């Protein structure tokens, strides 16, 4: 489904000797595999060695790519001419939750997987390329949207488009109600203690910047330390680089283990009384690894440090309970969880949010305005200056309805099965190196894989697959 991102604009790096990692981010809506998360252009893992660029002009390279593509085709079910794989692409019956799904009615058929039952809910997947159904693998960049989300957006703009919180007329009241209902849906979805702890932002990147500038600039000083892992998305690194430059605080990075997972023992050793905030992912968008957030919060609290969690890759794929995790801040993006682009959210503990200065100035974030000063509204209004993305927030609420109707535990279990299948299938392909920990009974791995193929640039293998596997138009996410 869900979840961080492709970088089509950077594929030409291969012609300049660049190298990188191909990533398959699978999807529940597709007739094959599951999730995502990630942000566009996630940070490359720093430990694995990169393969060197190999041009299409090399005959040996072309032969190797063709052989590898043939092996990879056996891993990709649902494509024209591909083996049976995990599930087969064929017409599936309508989604089962009428309240959240508005797909065209069609004759019911036997189904074999959650993917089959949900594929019909996503109109973009109904199109064909060269006679084969579309298979979408670019969920690390953005997930597709079900009918129910599109219908909700259309209804807003057709029926009650109006600004929120400012008008007393009927349309404004209806829009305000729907907008605040969406906030309550987000709060319930992540089990926030209070809907006032949910701040709507443009995306997770803006949410991280909000914390960095509003909390970070006010609470960090020279000698303080910010702890991050090298596996963070750069959207979780760059804002803290800015803050460290302005405050004199020091960035401390946690490296990777030999299994290509963040080194938790090193993280524990880095924590000290100088540590003021720990910035970590819940699920790594490149490595697919999952961090023990509850334990990290406990260790951080012992030294008086706050914790910010990038949950873009976890919120769309598994049950997430912010009260159980205990983190001070948590961020996620709508577009990785079947919702519209242009909206995301920050969850923050209310007492911390109440102590923070506004991030932006303007309408809605004020209580009173005088010529020489202003007083600020309570959260969440304090951090939502100006007209928000009203329709998009309401659409996010509809996406949450859709996911909740399926059940996050069911989605999680299905994606674990898909992730194991993906990992084991790629292992069977010659000359493939997969990054991140192997799935096991004790190690949960998200259903995405970053990998290199010996002597083949990831852009080249993706182009070969697009031509040979993809009569079904398989779409990839690249990290270059």
């Amino acid at each position: 489904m869900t979840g961080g991102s492709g970088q089509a604009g950077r594929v030409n790096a291969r012609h300049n000797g660049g190298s990188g990692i191909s990533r398959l981010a699978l999807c529940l809506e597709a007739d094959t595999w599951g999730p995502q998360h990630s942000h566009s252009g996630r940070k490359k893992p720093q430990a694995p060695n990169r393969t060197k660029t190999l041009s299409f002009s090399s005959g040996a390279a072309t032969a190797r790519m063709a052989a590898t593509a043939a092996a990879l085709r056996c891993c990709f079910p649902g494509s024209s001419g591909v083996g049976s794989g995990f599930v087969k692409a064929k017409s599936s019956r309508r989604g089962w939750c009428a309240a959240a799904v508005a797909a065209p009615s069609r004759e019911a058929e036997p189904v074999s997987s959650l993917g089959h039952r949900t594929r019909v809910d996503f109109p973009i997947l109904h199109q064909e390329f060269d006679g084969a159904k579309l298979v979408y693998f670019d969920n690390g960049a953005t997930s597709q949207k079900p009918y129910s989300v599109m219908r909700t957006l259309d209804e807003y703009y057709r029926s009650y488009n109006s600004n929120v919180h400012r008008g007393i007329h009927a349309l404004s009241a209806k829009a305000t109600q729907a907008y605040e209902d969406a906030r309550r849906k987000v709060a319930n979805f992540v089990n926030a203690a209070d809907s006032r702890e949910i701040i709507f932002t443009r995306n997770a990147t803006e949410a991280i910047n909000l914390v960095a500038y509003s909390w970070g600039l006010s609470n960090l000083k020279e000698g303080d330390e910010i702890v991050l892992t090298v596996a963070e998305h750069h959207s979780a690194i760059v804002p803290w680089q800015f803050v460290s430059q302005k405050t004199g605080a020091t960035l401390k990075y946690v490296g990777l283990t030999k299994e290509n997972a963040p080194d938790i023992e090193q993280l524990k050793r880095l924590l000290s009384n100088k540590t003021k905030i720990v910035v970590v992912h819940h699920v790594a968008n490149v490595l697919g690894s999952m961090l023990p957030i509850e334990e990290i919060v406990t260790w951080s609290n012992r030294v008086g440090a706050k914790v910010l969690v990038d949950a873009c890759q976890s919120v769309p794929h598994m049950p997430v309970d912010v009260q159980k995790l205990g983190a001070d801040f948590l961020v996620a993006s709508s577009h990785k969880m079947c919702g519209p682009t242009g909206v995301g959210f920050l969850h923050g503990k209310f007492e911390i949010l109440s102590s923070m200065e506004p991030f932006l100035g303007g309408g809605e974030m004020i209580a009173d305005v005088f010529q020489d000063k202003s007083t600020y509204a309570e959260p969440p209004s304090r951090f939502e200056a100006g007209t928000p993305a009203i329709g998009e927030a309401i659409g996010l609420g509809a996406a949450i309805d859709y996911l909740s109707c399926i059940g996050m535990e069911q989605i999680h279990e299905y994606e674990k099965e898909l992730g194991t299948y993906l990992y084991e299938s790629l292992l069977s392909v010659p000359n493939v190196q997969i990054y991140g920990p192997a799935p096991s009974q004790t190690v949960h791995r998200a259903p995405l894989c970053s990998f290199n193929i010996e002597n083949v640039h990831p852009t080249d293998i993706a182009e070969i697959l697009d031509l040979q596997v993809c009569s079904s138009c398989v779409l990839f996410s690249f990290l270059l």
Side-chain angles (χ1 to χ4, degrees), residues 263-413:
D263 191 334
I264 298 303
E265 292 303 316
Q266 182 187 11
L267 188 154
K268 290 173 66 175
R269 292 194 299 270
L270 284 178
L271 295 175
S272 71
N273 291 332
K274 294 182 179 180
T275 308
K276 301 306 176 184
I277 189 165
V278 178
V279 180
V280 290
H281 57 270
H282 195 181
V283 173
N285 71 297
V286 172
L287 300 174
S289 54
M290 183 173 176
L291 290 179
I293 298 301
E294 292 178 60
E295 295 178 39
I296 292 172
V297 169
T298 298
W299 303 331
S300 301
N301 288 346
R302 288 174 183 166
V303 298
K306 300 287 189 278
V307 177
L308 184 155
V309 176
D310 176 353
C312 287
Q313 294 293 349
S314 60
V315 166
H317 304 292
M318 64 185 68
V320 172
D321 185 332
V322 294
Q323 294 190 68
K324 183 178 179 181
L325 293 178
D328 302 281
F329 305 102
L330 180 142
V331 305
S333 282
S334 164
H335 72 96
K336 299 180 188 300
M337 50 193 295
C338 299
T341 57
V343 66
F345 67 88
L346 163 69
H347 170 265
K349 292 181 177 178
F350 189 77
E351 64 273 17
I352 301 176
L353 294 175
S354 297
S355 69
M356 290 163 51
E357 294 291 312
F359 177 43
L360 299 172
E364 295 306 309
M365 49 72 63
I366 49 87
D368 296 293
V369 178
F370 305 93
Q371 288 189 345
D372 59 343
K373 64 177 182 179
S374 296
T375 58
Y376 308 128
E378 288 295 303
S381 297
R382 180 180 300 184
F383 303 105
E384 295 182 9
T387 298
I390 302 168
E392 287 76 5
I394 296 170
L396 169 58
I400 287 174
D401 288 340
Y402 180 82
L403 294 175
S404 298
C405 182
I406 299 170
M408 294 310 299
E409 190 60 50
Q410 183 176 4
I411 290 172
H412 181 51
E413 291 302 315

Side-chain angles (χ1 to χ4, degrees), residues 70-148:
L72 283 170
R73 282 201 301 273
C74 297
C75 299
F76 298 155
S79 298
S80 178
V82 179
S84 60
F86 188 72
V87 291
K88 293 182 179 179
K90 59 182 178 181
S91 298
S92 55
R93 66 174 176 85
R94 181 177 178 176
W96 62 98
C97 185
V101 179
S105 61
R106 60 181 64 192
E107 191 173 332
E109 297 179 8
V111 294
S112 59
S113 72
L114 184 59
H116 276 88
R117 297 198 297 272
T118 56
R119 180 180 173 87
V120 69
D121 302 331
F122 295 80
I124 198 170
L125 300 179
H126 297 172
Q127 60 188 305
E128 294 186 352
F129 290 82
D130 296 329
K133 289 185 178 181
L134 172 66
V135 177
Y136 184 82
F137 277 169
D138 200 21
N139 301 284
T142 194
S143 61
Q144 295 303 332
K145 323 306 174 192
Y147 281 100
S148 56

